[in-house]
Amino acid sequence: MAGHNEPFRYMAVQQKVLDMIEAGTLSPGDKIPSLRRMSAAMRVSLSTVNQAYVLLEEQGIIQAKPKSGYFVSPERPSLAPCIKQHAPPTPPTPVTRGEMIRMVLREVGRTDNLPLGVANANDELLPIHQMTRIMGKILRENPIQATSYAPIQGWPELRSAVARHIMDSGTACTPDDIIITSGALEALNIGLRAVTRPGDNVLIQSPTYYCFLQLLEHLGLRAIEIPSCPTCGVCPSDVEKALTKFDITAAIFTPNYNNPDGGLTPDDAKSAVVRIMAERGVPLLEDEIYGDLHFTDDRPRSFKSFDETGNVLSCSSFSKSICPGYRIGWIIPGKRYSKCLELKATINVSSASPSQLAVAGYLHSGQHVRHLRRLRAALSKQMTTMSEHIYRYFPKNTKLTRPQGGVVLWVELDQSIDSIEFFRKAAEYNIGVAPGVVFSTHDQYNNFIRLSFGYPWSDAMADGIATLGKLATEMQSA
Amino acid sequence: MAGHNEPFRYMAVQQKVLDMIEAGTLSPGDKIPSLRRMSAAMRVSLSTVNQAYVLLEEQGIIQAKPKSGYFVSPERPSLAPCIKQHAPPTPPTPVTRGEMIRMVLREVGRTDNLPLGVANANDELLPIHQMTRIMGKILRENPIQATSYAPIQGWPELRSAVARHIMDSGTACTPDDIIITSGALEALNIGLRAVTRPGDNVLIQSPTYYCFLQLLEHLGLRAIEIPSCPTCGVCPSDVEKALTKFDITAAIFTPNYNNPDGGLTPDDAKSAVVRIMAERGVPLLEDEIYGDLHFTDDRPRSFKSFDETGNVLSCSSFSKSICPGYRIGWIIPGKRYSKCLELKATINVSSASPSQLAVAGYLHSGQHVRHLRRLRAALSKQMTTMSEHIYRYFPKNTKLTRPQGGVVLWVELDQSIDSIEFFRKAAEYNIGVAPGVVFSTHDQYNNFIRLSFGYPWSDAMADGIATLGKLATEMQSA
């Protein structure tokens, strides 16, 4: 570090500690190198190391223990493991976030923005060249099939491949149980239209993906919100209370890595929710789109895997993990199969044949197993890196989730910060972020933002996070 | 004809005359070869020729003129040029044809059926290999774009190509006026949802495409029907009367070659309908999907080409003319653009990128101009051939349309024939036909069937028509 500019020496020390944490060399609770050892290793003065350690302590990343030295904080500043105090369900509310969501979507879609606002994995992480090769092969081998209308429910080879693919989520179904859709949102659109009518109440978790709110708005449905927890997702007793208190026609939950809070509903809770909904005869729609992106060894199970009565409508797609632009998703509608099939027919007859056949070919090739393994490892690392940078550059009272999967972090800023204003200021720096306020029908999450870690780490990303941290610091009232 | 079996000699003569009519060698009003000339030419007895001519006369195909011989009938038995007596609009009716339509769709979709029930051009007529080559090239050159989400409104290159393509229909619009959809039905779904709410009344022509009825049913809309004419389509005064009499929220019309009756609304009538709808502020949705398939020299204009106020929502696709399985259509929503864009976002985010880029590339290559010319010529010929075979094999009182474009014939059987029973019996012979009853919300067209001439002529087609003719003869009450 001899060549390092004087004023930045302490930053190099900070970076070193953060790198060691990020790499797992240091874990929460571990003792970090003493002042003397670090001073020797980095060839800086003791006071420079001290300066760095004091700053790291202020950021909550390390803690001093009297007479023992510094340790990696056992509790990183994060959203409480369970933020919910089992808040009661909100009363039914017409969804009117539309204008705000549209404004956010317009900004987030800007391609000149640093894409921290978009909840998907970047091109560089997707198997683009394999997909392209397979599509070319499929077209050469089956030109007529690829040009013809697919059956409404989708080509059999794709439905077989999906049935095999979802066995990892514990879901045992046959190709005939599956309807291919143009992405997961179309699946949810179909599923929701199959079981509701305008004016009906739909149970959602809060925060929830803003596109669900848009969907409810356009279908004239009212939202009832129960708390989502960044750690344990949806709580069965909250579901039960809401069903007792209100006339509810359907629920939409994201059991695995809820967007935006990353909440993972544990298996026993999933089983209980499925049972409760079935007992009441209220259809349960699940968005299972992030389940494949687990950072843990085992893939979490789906609601569908606990469904014994056909009451779960399971929706998912390959848009987050393989090929967003191909628009291939599916719904497993259980006992609402016929109605969903009709709706698919009236929406667009069937999904694009070239896309269907290419995805079927890709899954059949088995390449996706290795691809998903690599993708998960990359996302997990990117999540850690981004988290560390947030700890480094954001005000000390910033809290964030530690998701076990998916592509987004949910960040709680100081109470004084308005996320829409933050979103607007970030946009002036060409940085896309999703403001918390669009994830609920009520005025909450005003001081939250959602950041995507779906893009490979780069200097631009680091600069972006530093800029956002600076913004948060400036906006925070003293 | 020496080797021809004795009992079929007269049929060979019939066939000869029909072939000459079909080929245009003989036109309506022309004198056909005398008994003596035909007898010599075909090496059959005079009485055999006479037997054939008498049968042809009974079928209404030729007429005897005293002392002059036989002439091709100037008036072929066809649906009256204008079947409508300007019937009043029907009262608003909830659409409940669903179950019947589903039953029909299941049967029609059977791939082991002779596909006379499916309203599209067969693979053999589509530019499958050109599309496949272009898709391969696009994927090699733009793998990232092809794998990425398209913008909600679609890739700019495709919107530009569509804007150029529809200039032939007199429609001048910019790429920014267009939203790409997954086929024309999705476009209509979006357009209809943008301007109606459940319970609203929608004006349709009768007969109308059964998928529109399904769409109305699923959106909880009521249908008001005004007559469609096989020759002159929708009549402006009928539209005006209906708008005066009922509270109508929107209309869906197919101005060019209405499915099933082939009705072509003349340009002045189109202009008047557009004006009337605009004056009343009632949105006009058009399905312009068959306009490219004109058998005349000039392409008919669209409703949109007369739209000065942005009140027309124009829907179309390439599914009938280029590549059904790619699922590429569009809507030009006029002043309902924003709402339609939002709906597209909540239905499936955007349409498949590989399909969009391949179609853009194909249109850009200019190959579609020659392709469409060939396709139109083929369809026109197939229409004539099928018509002649129907005249030959169906009972004499059978009437059929003479469409100037599109892919279907609308056939009126004897009053005593129930089209659902006919449909069922045809299915027993593995022949798909669409029964008339599914083209209205009222009990009409019970004795009509729709036959597609989108498939290249073959012995199987000829046998199929002969079988259907035999069925019609058997079912007809004496």
Side-chain angles (χ1 to χ4, degrees), chain A residues 102 123 132 135 139 144 147-149 182 185-186 189 193 218-219 325 327 342 345-348 350 352-353, chain B residues 102 123 132 135 139 144 147-148 182 185-186 189 193 218-219 319 325 327 342 345-348 350 352-353:
Chain A
R102 282 189 286 285
D123 318 326
T132 303
M135 172 82 97
L139 287 167
I144 293 177
T147 312
S148 305
Y149 281 113
S182 303
L185 195 59
E186 185 178 286
N189 191 312
R193 286 181 60 201
H218 284 296
L219 296 177
R327 314 305 305 119
E342 281 170 47
T346 68
I347 286 178
N348 47 29
S350 56
S353 289
Chain B
R102 282 188 286 284
D123 318 326
T132 302
M135 173 79 98
L139 287 167
I144 292 176
T147 313
S148 304
S182 303
L185 195 60
E186 186 178 286
N189 191 314
R193 285 181 60 199
H218 283 296
L219 296 177
S319 302
R327 312 305 306 118
E342 280 169 48
T346 67
I347 285 179
N348 47 28
S350 55
S353 288

Side-chain angles (χ1 to χ4, degrees), chain B residues 88-155:
Chain B
T90 65
T93 312
V95 183
T96 54
R97 280 283 184 273
E99 197 39 61
M100 195 181 283
I101 293 173
R102 282 188 286 284
M103 187 262 292
V104 169
L105 281 176
R106 273 194 299 274
E107 191 58 45
V108 159
R110 272 177 49 187
T111 50
D112 53 341
N113 270 352
L114 190 69
L116 302 178
V118 190
N120 56 282
N122 182 248
D123 318 326
E124 297 172 47
L125 300 176
L126 299 178
I128 289 178
H129 297 288
Q130 293 94 309
M131 284 303 302
T132 302
R133 263 199 305 277
I134 286 172
M135 173 79 98
K137 186 165 172 286
I138 297 283
L139 287 167
R140 280 191 304 277
E141 291 173 1
N142 311 293
I144 292 176
Q145 188 184 10
T147 313
S148 304
Y149 280 114
I152 298 167
Q153 66 271 40
W155 287 111

Side-chain angles (χ1 to χ4, degrees), chain B residues 79-98:
Chain B
L79 285 176
C82 194
I83 53 162
K84 66 185 166 206
Q85 295 81 38
H86 295 280
T90 65
T93 312
V95 183
T96 54
R97 280 283 184 273

Side-chain angles (χ1 to χ4, degrees), chain B residues 206-225:
Chain B
S206 175
T208 200
Y209 179 37
Y210 51 78
C211 281
F212 296 175
L213 299 180
Q214 256 195 327
L215 189 52
L216 296 185
E217 181 177 2
H218 283 296
L219 296 177
L221 298 165
R222 286 158 185 272
I224 293 174
E225 300 185 12

